Amino acid sequence: MAALLTTGAPPASAAGLSLSVDLFAARHAISPDIYGMNGGDPALVAELGTPVSRWGGNASSRYNFKNHTYNTGSDWYFENIVAGPDNTLEAYVQRNRDRGIKQVVTVPMSGWVAKDGPEWPHACGFPATRFPAQDAFDQWDANCGNGRLNNTTLTGAEPTDTSVPADASFAGEMVSHLVGQFGSAARGGVPIYELDNEPVLWSSTHRDVHPQPVSDDELGTKSTATAAAIKSADPRAAVLGPSGWGYCEWLASGIDGCAPGADAAAHGGLNLSQWFLKNMKDAGTTARKRLLDYFDQHYYPQISGDKTPEANAWRLRSTRSLWDPSYVEESWIGPSGVNAPPLQFIRTMKQWVSQYNPGTKTAITEYNWGALDDINGALAEADVLGIFGREGLDLATIWGEPRPTDPAAYAFRMYRNYDGTGSKFGDVSVSATSTDQGQLAIYGAQRRCDGALTLMVINKTGAELGSPLSIAGFGTGKAQRFTYSPGNLSSIVRGDDLPVNRGRVTTTYPANSITLLVLPQHRN
């Protein structure tokens, strides 16, 4: 291929491959909150003007704001850890307020939070003094074990070894504390609270205090009570949940496992997400106030960080699971495992919201397509961000954020700071289609501030591609061109402007590249 290109041969092009944009079709606002992170390098966060940040994850399930202590759960030997001054909840909120970043703060809901205790040795859920034989112990604290013996989960842990009871009133106290320190949501305080983290995994991640599987009724009762406590403490704050870990929690309670079963049958035959939405709506109707503002789930494709040719190709295909009704899952979720129908993840979330709790926004507060340090991961991330905007997702925060030098950080820059001066992708989505989105994907949006049309084109193939681009609603002018590709992985390259003649653009797109075309205020 390299030899052909150097001899002046035309770029590769699939038969019939073309791109079409209609400036006046399928218009809707793109939420800036889809470009959020769970943390991230401070310099990158500042450069991108990251709009939203989340305080969440497994440790947040047992964070005690009264003593700044959390429990690591199964992530690290079930140990109580005292947060350092820079890692307290208050420090997090203050940091993000200072940067103008919207915060999502998780409130505990499992029934337990970490108790007071010495910083060392750690209080832990499976101490050797109670369970002398375990498969592994913390090399730095030999009293703390992993709660397994012969690869079997141990039972009989005593919750009070590490924790104290905490019901919905604790969540209300937590919100009141933050309101007292930072003001209400209406006055610049914390705007969004999350109903714990991945609750169906409590019986695994936090099995030392919650060994029993979560039922529909437990999740429903705790969610409505906690949401009511949040709203009482700060009426203008938004509530987000249930923040399930993945496919199985999307559909089923801990009792049912990975598909609707007896628990679902006892609740009108609805799957866990459907029943959760309906239950929150019914409780809100009784309380005469909305109790759920965001329907949130986590999404992780099952590719991990693998970068084999097969994994890279799968990674780029798997973004279709967010929207495509024809995409068949290729992991254990598909025919080789539970044989789920096409997920259409965002579209299904919106359908369920429309049916069971209209007016609720949609969110994905954890996702990661992997390989963030590789151009393949950057292509996937750029594709995902484009899909989030086109499909009308309201909020998203990546978990395991890219480093500033990672290719995936440049995928964010293409949307948030493509020219180094803060210029952004448009905020009003417009119709943009490709005859083969799997080879050459396109996303379009118009900027409200200056009327410019922005088009993100992602070449997912290993060959340079040429494709005609037609833009209905745009006449004659020039298109600025910005490209991120393997040719220069340390910067976004400004190319020569392209002529636009009667809404038509002719150019090529480098192999494995992200190209942004910026067309100033259109002229017919």
Side-chain angles (χ1 to χ4, degrees), residues 259-285:
D263 202 11
H267 293 82
L270 302 179
N271 68 39
L272 182 61
S273 290
Q274 294 167 338
W275 185 80
F276 175 84
L277 286 164
K278 182 180 183 299
N279 186 61
M280 294 297 285
K281 180 182 183 299
D282 291 346
T285 299

Side-chain angles (χ1 to χ4, degrees), residues 58 63 155 214 251 333 359 379 395 428:
N58 292 334
Y63 183 86
T155 60
V214 173
L251 293 183
I333 297 172
L379 299 177
L395 186 149
V428 177

Side-chain angles (χ1 to χ4, degrees), residues 322-498:
L322 292 170
W323 65 274
D324 191 345
S326 68
Y327 180 66
V328 177
E329 291 298 317
E330 300 173 63
S331 71
W332 60 269
I333 297 172
S336 63
V338 299
N339 199 25
L343 296 185
Q344 305 178 72
F345 198 74
I346 297 173
R347 295 184 180 185
T348 300
M349 289 177 74
K350 286 180 168 290
Q351 176 190 336
W352 289 345
V353 161
S354 177
Q355 187 170 357
Y356 298 106
N357 200 332
T360 306
K361 297 179 180 179
T362 52
I364 300 176
T365 57
E366 286 189 26
Y367 75 92
N368 192 319
W369 254 257
L372 303 185
D373 59 350
D374 188 86
I375 185 63
N376 180 262
L379 299 177
E381 180 61 37
D383 200 32
V384 166
L385 292 175
I387 292 168
F388 286 171
R390 186 193 67 196
E391 297 297 315
L393 190 70
D394 293 293
L395 186 149
T397 48
I398 188 173
W399 180 272
E401 306 76 22
R403 297 168 298 182
T405 56
D406 282 344
Y410 286 91
F412 275 92
R413 288 183 177 104
M414 291 293 283
Y415 285 90
R416 300 290 298 172
N417 185 26
Y418 60 82
D419 60 358
T421 65
S423 296
K424 297 176 176 60
F425 188 67
D427 46 13
V428 177
S429 182
V430 302
S431 174
T433 59
S434 170
T435 52
D436 190 340
Q437 195 82 351
Q439 293 194 71
L440 202 59
I442 184 170
Y443 303 95
Q446 190 173 24
R447 279 199 302 246
R448 288 190 182 98
C449 64
D450 61 2
L453 175 64
T454 57
L455 304 175
M456 198 73 69
V457 182
I458 305 163
N459 184 351
K460 302 179 183 181
T461 77
E464 184 180 41
L465 291 179
S467 173
L469 167 62
S470 62
I471 309 168
F474 193 98
T476 300
K478 289 186 178 294
Q480 301 169 3
R481 176 172 45 175
F482 300 84
T483 302
Y484 183 70
S485 73
N488 188 340
L489 291 176
S490 61
S491 66
I492 296 169
V493 176
R494 169 72 189 269
D496 295 335
D497 288 354
L498 300 171

Side-chain angles (χ1 to χ4, degrees), residues 244-313:
W245 64 267
Y247 176 77
C248 293
E249 187 166 348
W250 200 36
L251 293 183
S253 69
I255 290 176
D256 278 349
C258 201
D263 202 11
H267 293 82
L270 302 179
N271 68 39
L272 182 61
S273 290
Q274 294 167 338
W275 185 80
F276 175 84
L277 286 164
K278 182 180 183 299
N279 186 61
M280 294 297 285
K281 180 182 183 299
D282 291 346
T285 299
T286 300
R288 297 186 178 181
K289 58 185 173 184
R290 173 173 283 277
L291 292 181
L292 184 71
D293 300 277
Y294 290 84
F295 175 45
D296 173 51
Q297 296 288 357
H298 298 167
Y299 190 91
Y300 291 99
Q302 304 300 295
I303 307 161
S304 186
D306 290 351
K307 291 178 280 190
T308 63
E310 295 79 12
N312 284 345

Side-chain angles (χ1 to χ4, degrees), residues 169-182:
S169 64
F170 179 90
E173 291 179 59
M174 180 174 169
V175 175
S176 294
H177 167 71
L178 293 174
V179 170
Q181 185 155 345
F182 300 104

Side-chain angles (χ1 to χ4, degrees), residues 37 39-50 95 99 101 401-402 404:
M37 296 185 174
D41 180 274
L44 179 62
V45 167
E47 176 195 344
L48 297 174
T50 300
R95 248 189 335 266
R99 296 169 179 166
I101 299 173
E401 306 76 22

